[in-house]
Amino acid sequence: MSIAMRPMHTFAIGLGVLLCALLPKDLNAATTEQTIELQPGWNAIYVELQPENDAIEQVFAGLPVASVWRWLPDDRPVAFIQDPDEDLLTIDGWYGYFPSHRPESILTNLFTISPNQAYLVRLLGNESRELTITGRPVLRRQSWRPDDFQFTGFHVEPGNEPTFQNWFAGSDAHQAGPIFRLGDDGEWEEVTQPAIESIRSGEAYWVYTEGRSNYQGPMPISLEFGDRVDFNRSLSRETVLLNNSSGLNNQVRIRKLPADNPVPLALERHDEVTREVFWPTLEEETMLSVELDSGEILGLGVNRAGLFTPQASQILEFTNGLGARRLLHVGVESLAPSESETQRARSAMQSSADGKTEDRQSTDPRYAGLWVGVASIDSVSMAQQGGVVPVPTGSEFPLRIMMHVDAAGNVRLLNEVILMWEEGEAVPDEDDPEFTRIETPGRFVLLTDDTLIPNYTGVVERGGEAAGNRVSTAAYDFPGNELDLSGSFGPGGAVFGTIVIEPDFATNPFLHRFHPDHDNLDAQYLNFEQEAYEVTRELELFFAEEDPENFDRPEWGDEEVAGTYTEAISGLHRSTIFISGIFRMRRASSVPLLNQ
């Protein structure tokens, strides 16, 4: 059976080059299915998904396909197709695939199936067959050839397909131009009643564009970067732009498609009266009102506190009730350390001289990384009156606090840490020795040992040279840069530690090297004689289950924690001084190991 295009209409067909974005291979990526019914003979289909295996022989496995064609045009002169079996091979712009058992297979120059792309498929036999494609959606913009035809299809809701007139109501460039669909007899037929005839899901058409057009359908969805939402280790929020070009005010429904490892998502909402921002959990179905010719900026956030796998992914379905449908793939990567990092941390713990290290392993390794924040002290006990209960102060006093949780769950209080970079390792490529490939990728490291600095590269530039990024605090001090804490870090937990400031420690508040009564020396300035007092600080941080300040941010519980800070200070006064306040910390780095 042949495909003929009516003589009154011709189509420009030419040789083109297509650069397809490489999609990351995620073994846990959520997928969905698209089912297309193929009739005996020629079929014009529109593939909406990126197949899990995009090889044509795999996509059409088990189906009696004679050939599959894709049109990749350029600006060459118009060409008219009479018989695809003979002419498509000789016309620039058409690329074809033939199964390996057919004699034409040596002419195959089309090897993969791409998303958001139209194809011609010739099915052998006398029975219709179903083509089922399993894959994930990819957001890409629709392109239109000015004053010419485009071979394309549309993302419409199965079972609620719109008419051609309704679909193109918001596009002046598609009001007058003809549209062709492939008839049951294999002939291209003009759509003469666009107000009645409906677009079919999975079907492709020849659509004429008058002039230039940037039309993306009645419900276009776009991202600032990329073709999917990817919450990598440095991202917890993303913006999705949803527009309404339908010609009507309408409701848009967001629905979560079933997934083995769903993403714990939150949706940014604003109170129009109080201007307050809040992040409710994205329900299985959510309705949004989008006004005509306006855009809705959707803030999506991921709550990693509800993530219990290294990776998770979800597909969101957007429908406007008028036939438009778009799918959006959302993926998230956990901040938990890898198995190798956990093993390295445990090995370091076992080889440590501190026999108590094993007892401290009670924190979930998902909280591994550097945490930096502030404790706002707002209550102090009346020590001069022997009081033991903190009373409110006239103003708050901030204390910067820094903690590190390693891959084995050990918690340490830090007074200084340096962020550095370890260069990756490149080796000659096995296929082409003139090129190199990355054998070991570069990575950030956290140092509390200054002697290790020469082993790494800086991350900021100072005076024309790379230098490390140093973070420190003056709120406390102790020998070295690390102090082991006990307890459990994270919402619902508590950590405890004791800082002992010895009489001869440099930052002891009673020690003064040039004052005879406070230099810890005898009258002859020769022998040690204790004159400064020992100071002890007992710290306790109780982590709240819910945000105590009700900020309701998606980072809560995983990248942001808060709670109550208490401290008992002995040695400054004859009575112990008790202080308390509220602390808040954020994960500044997910590097799960120190000094390695």
Side-chain angles (χ1 to χ4, degrees), residues 96-305:
Y97 158 78
F98 304 92
S100 57
H101 64 272
R102 295 183 64 86
E104 309 98 315
S105 63
I106 61 173
L107 302 175
T108 292
N109 57 3
L110 181 65
F111 303 97
T112 60
I113 294 294
S114 299
N116 308 315
Q117 180 61 48
Y119 295 89
L120 286 176
V121 179
R122 186 181 180 191
L123 185 70
L124 300 175
N126 299 317
E127 298 180 356
S128 61
R129 305 290 290 270
E130 282 191 349
L131 168 64
T132 300
I133 298 175
T134 301
R136 66 174 183 83
V138 175
L139 274 185
R140 289 182 185 164
R141 293 181 60 80
Q142 171 72 61
S143 62
W144 299 103
R145 291 164 58 84
D147 297 317
D148 211 334
F149 285 90
Q150 181 74 32
F151 188 38
T152 187
F154 307 101
H155 294 268
V156 297
E157 183 180 4
N160 186 34
E161 292 90 345
T163 65
F164 288 93
Q165 178 174 294
N166 289 340
W167 182 269
F168 288 111
S171 175
D172 294 336
H174 296 96
Q175 297 301 313
I179 299 172
F180 288 87
R181 77 184 327 155
L182 192 61
D184 294 337
D185 58 357
E187 300 286 332
W188 288 103
E189 302 173 351
E190 185 176 357
V191 175
T192 58
Q193 295 181 303
I196 299 176
E197 296 188 53
S198 296
I199 298 173
R200 296 171 189 158
S201 175
E203 186 176 22
Y205 312 92
W206 288 104
V207 181
Y208 187 84
T209 303
E210 185 176 5
R212 297 186 177 277
S213 176
N214 195 32
Y215 186 63
Q216 300 299 310
M219 188 189 64
I221 296 177
S222 60
L223 302 173
E224 187 174 2
F225 300 104
D227 53 27
R228 64 173 178 169
V229 174
D230 184 13
F231 292 111
N232 55 38
R233 294 175 70 89
S234 62
L235 189 67
S236 60
R237 301 184 187 187
E238 182 62 279
T239 298
V240 180
L241 182 59
L242 174 64
N243 286 289
N244 178 11
S245 304
S246 66
L248 298 169
N249 292 341
N250 65 307
Q251 296 283 321
V252 173
R253 182 185 71 167
I254 305 176
R255 184 170 71 95
K256 293 181 178 179
L257 298 188
D260 293 334
N261 294 312
V263 180
L265 291 172
L267 183 65
E268 183 181 16
R269 309 308 295 152
H270 298 261
D271 190 308
E272 297 181 357
V273 178
T274 65
R275 304 295 182 181
E276 183 180 3
V277 178
F278 54 100
W279 290 84
T281 298
L282 183 64
E283 303 296 338
E284 294 301 314
E285 289 192 13
T286 301
M287 298 298 296
L288 298 175
S289 179
V290 184
E291 296 182 1
L292 173 62
D293 297 328
S294 67
E296 179 79 10
I297 299 177
L298 304 181
L300 285 180
V302 60
N303 183 1
R304 286 188 172 90

Side-chain angles (χ1 to χ4, degrees), residues 420-501:
M420 301 289 290
W421 176 259
E422 182 180 51
E423 296 289 352
E425 180 183 358
V427 298
D429 189 272
E430 297 176 356
D431 298 327
D432 191 345
E434 294 184 3
F435 293 90
T436 59
R437 61 179 177 84
I438 301 299
E439 178 75 10
T440 304
R443 65 187 182 95
F444 289 104
V445 293
L446 293 174
L447 303 181
T448 57
D449 184 352
D450 290 355
T451 63
L452 299 177
I453 293 178
N455 299 334
Y456 302 98
T457 304
V459 295
V460 295
E461 186 174 331
R462 294 192 184 98
E465 296 184 1
N469 190 12
R470 186 184 302 265
V471 183
S472 61
T473 177
Y476 45 80
D477 195 13
F478 42 77
N481 291 327
E482 305 174 22
L483 179 70
D484 294 338
L485 301 178
S486 59
S488 177
F489 186 103
V495 294
F496 314 92
T498 300
I499 301 174
V500 178
I501 306 175

